[in-house]
Amino acid sequence: MNLATRSLFFALLTLLFMNAVTAGLPPPRVKADNAMIVSASRLADEAGLAILKRGGNAVDAAVAVGFTLAVVYPEAGNIGGGGFMIYRKASGSATALDFREKAPKSATRAMYLDAAGKVTGETVNGHRASGVPGTVAGLLRALDEFGTMKRAEVLRPAIRFAEEGFVVDSAFADDLEEYRDSLRLFEATKAIFFPGGKELHAGDTLRQPDLAKTLHRIAKDGAKEFYEGATAGMIVDEMSRGHGEITLEDLKAYTTVRRAPLTGTYRGFQILSMPPPSSGGACLLALLNLVEPSDLAKMGFHSEKSAHIMAEAMKRVFADRSKYLGDPDHQRIPLRTLVSKEYARSRLLEIDPVRATESKSIHPGTLPGREKNHTTNYVVQDKKGNVVSVTYTLNDLFGSKVAVQGAGFLMNDQMDDFSAKPGVANMYGLVGGEANAIAPEKRPLSSMTPTLVLKNGTPVLVLGARGGSKIITAVFQTIVNVIDYKMTVDEAVRAPRFHHQWLPDTLFYEPGCFPNSVLQSMAAHGNVMWESPHSLGEVEALSFDPRKRTLTGGPDDREPGTALGY
Ligand code: GLY
């Protein structure tokens, strides 16, 4: 199949899938015997699957998917952002790779405050919003250390999509329309996403020749090219056009970090997740510890009792997140305490069995920030049982909205994940303090939660999510749905979710999440309930049945995500 035929084929598949969704039917369950990929893009799944079928391992495929998403899903897939990867070899060793962006060396604690001490908008849009990108260093380090294939081979699909183009789908066209005004502020961005000054619509083809050249250079000369070569020069030139902070010295100094995965247990399952500077793993383990003493299955799915304990746990965990979590390379974090079962027991004593702790009535505001699809997550399992979960991001959709002229890619706005001013919420409504204050070369606190769940030493669930602060509660609920409510992975991902992040004091829920009687009773017991018009995170997951040796895909039809296996 040539590219045009394939695009048409997948457009038809998507149409069939969307018809199933609009008809209220669950999409067909995707199963496989050997290997599987679940991501936000069918084209990226295909690129990764081709690598697996050629004998590449899960990391080879994950790197191919990461670079492909940077082309075909440029609002979140990226080479100008950063993220985290959890990789576990079938033989048992596991690594957490931190390729989170770093603050430039010139960064200062008050850099986003105006003369009156108010936070400016510069953390979100424009050149000053960017941290030093980590994606290229991260993906290529993973390939070097855990992969088997050559750079050129895993980058080939991404380069082809950038050169030949890909067919714009309606989700991407909608995102472009929604962000039109901020994207048009920057000439290089306008040139990519409004080619010839025109808006792109579903069915149009988007070619990105500058990005293709950048990817060619990376394929040839590796990460050194991006951080010290021609691409680095273009980034620095772009920074100088908008008072950006990133210098050549910053780029040269960028490093990824291999960290030990954060581990814990839940009802006999082993959990491996991302340690700081992501708050994801610590918050996930703390949430699981807090609900473990409760028999959630007996209480019932989305009953008042189970929702109450889960929501009260969420409030406490996000309160702790705001105070204690930050970059572990810059300050001491009481991590062992935060994820210990003893600490959870002491926090549990504070929870009233019926009433919400914050009982005074607070009028719900709108959920801070947009609820759309920031960030992206994908998971891979190969035929040997090696597994990978990657979450990476530009932060906001389209990041800082600034594309690097001549290099064809968007820069992140990850500086917004720092606490620009203690007590003042960022775009996700998250507040922070000293532990997440801005400092030179520090990594901003993240919520990304790439996670593995093991039973008797075998990964049975590989997952992660996108959606800012909702990532943590979405991963948490997916695990609870599988372990406590015995759902299959696709059911667990699809089930409606709720979210509380301590501040604002509001329990957000998706339509259909709770019966009316539960909603009324929870409100009567002091919860401020708010139906969210947007999805509360999007999970991409896969499960493995060690007895039958089959894989099942758990794509999130909120995106819509896609699963592909063989
Ligand atoms: N930029 C979103 C996060 O890292 O949580």
Side-chain angles (χ1 to χ4, degrees), residues 218-466:
I218 294 171
K220 183 166 164 286
D221 295 324
K224 204 170 164 59
E225 196 290 322
F226 186 89
Y227 292 93
E228 298 184 33
T231 307
M234 291 182 205
I235 294 173
V236 174
D237 287 348
E238 185 58 53
M239 289 291 122
S240 69
R241 275 179 213 114
H243 310 290
E245 304 276 338
I246 298 171
T247 63
L248 200 52
E249 209 190 314
D250 288 321
L251 288 163
K252 279 186 184 166
Y254 181 81
T255 47
T256 58
V257 188
R258 267 180 72 169
R259 303 186 189 275
L262 199 56
T263 57
T265 59
Y266 182 64
R267 304 200 198 286
F269 289 78
Q270 198 192 354
I271 314 289
L272 272 68
S273 194
M274 200 66 215
S278 182
S279 65
C283 291
L284 173 66
L285 291 180
L287 284 168
L288 292 170
N289 288 341
L290 278 163
V291 301
E292 196 172 41
S294 302
D295 190 342
L296 296 179
K298 198 163 162 205
M299 289 174 170
F301 178 68
H302 288 186
S303 65
E304 182 178 359
K305 275 190 172 166
S306 64
H308 173 72
I309 185 69
M310 289 166 78
E312 291 298 304
M314 289 173 188
K315 286 182 203 172
R316 281 157 181 81
V317 165
F318 274 95
D320 283 348
R321 179 194 193 278
S322 76
K323 178 157 184 191
Y324 296 114
L325 293 173
D327 183 347
D329 300 337
H330 281 249
Q331 71 262 317
R332 216 197 127 266
I333 293 173
L335 195 56
R336 272 215 301 267
T337 304
L338 287 172
V339 302
S340 73
K341 302 219 186 260
E342 293 71 33
Y343 179 63
R345 272 197 290 276
S346 72
R347 289 290 260 171
L348 267 178
L349 296 176
E350 302 164 12
I351 299 179
D352 183 284
V354 179
R355 284 204 69 80
T357 303
E358 301 291 318
S359 56
K360 61 181 181 293
S361 181
I362 297 169
H363 294 296
T366 46
L367 189 60
R370 298 165 61 259
E371 290 292 343
K372 287 226 51 190
N373 312 319
H374 316 87
T375 307
T376 190
N377 185 86
Y378 58 95
V379 294
V380 185
Q381 175 154 342
D382 67 22
K383 66 173 191 258
K384 291 200 171 128
N386 303 303
V387 291
V388 179
S389 179
V390 176
T391 318
Y392 78 149
T393 188
L394 290 165
N395 195 23
D396 196 8
L397 276 194
F398 302 101
S400 66
K401 328 296 178 299
V402 175
V404 178
Q405 195 165 321
F409 64 89
L410 288 161
M411 292 292 285
N412 66 83
D413 61 339
Q414 218 66 252
M415 295 298 281
D416 189 68
D417 272 350
F418 278 117
S419 173
K421 184 176 179 178
V424 175
N426 73 356
M427 78 162 84
Y428 303 107
L430 292 167
V431 291
E434 190 56 36
N436 192 29
I438 304 173
E441 297 191 86
K442 188 172 171 180
R443 295 174 206 259
L445 186 62
S446 171
S447 297
M448 292 188 265
T449 316
T451 297
L452 313 178
V453 178
L454 281 71
K455 183 77 181 174
N456 302 326
T458 301
V460 291
L461 191 59
V462 183
L463 76 168
R466 67 186 197 179

Side-chain angles (χ1 to χ4, degrees), residues 41 106 117 203 350:
S41 155
S106 60
E350 302 164 12

Side-chain angles (χ1 to χ4, degrees), residues 479-500:
I479 293 175
V480 164
N481 289 348
V482 168
I483 294 179
D484 292 88
Y485 297 114
K486 311 287 178 229
M487 293 183 196
T488 57
V489 66
D490 51 327
E491 291 165 347
V493 167
R494 214 180 304 123
R497 291 192 277 266
F498 56 95
H499 173 79
H500 203 306

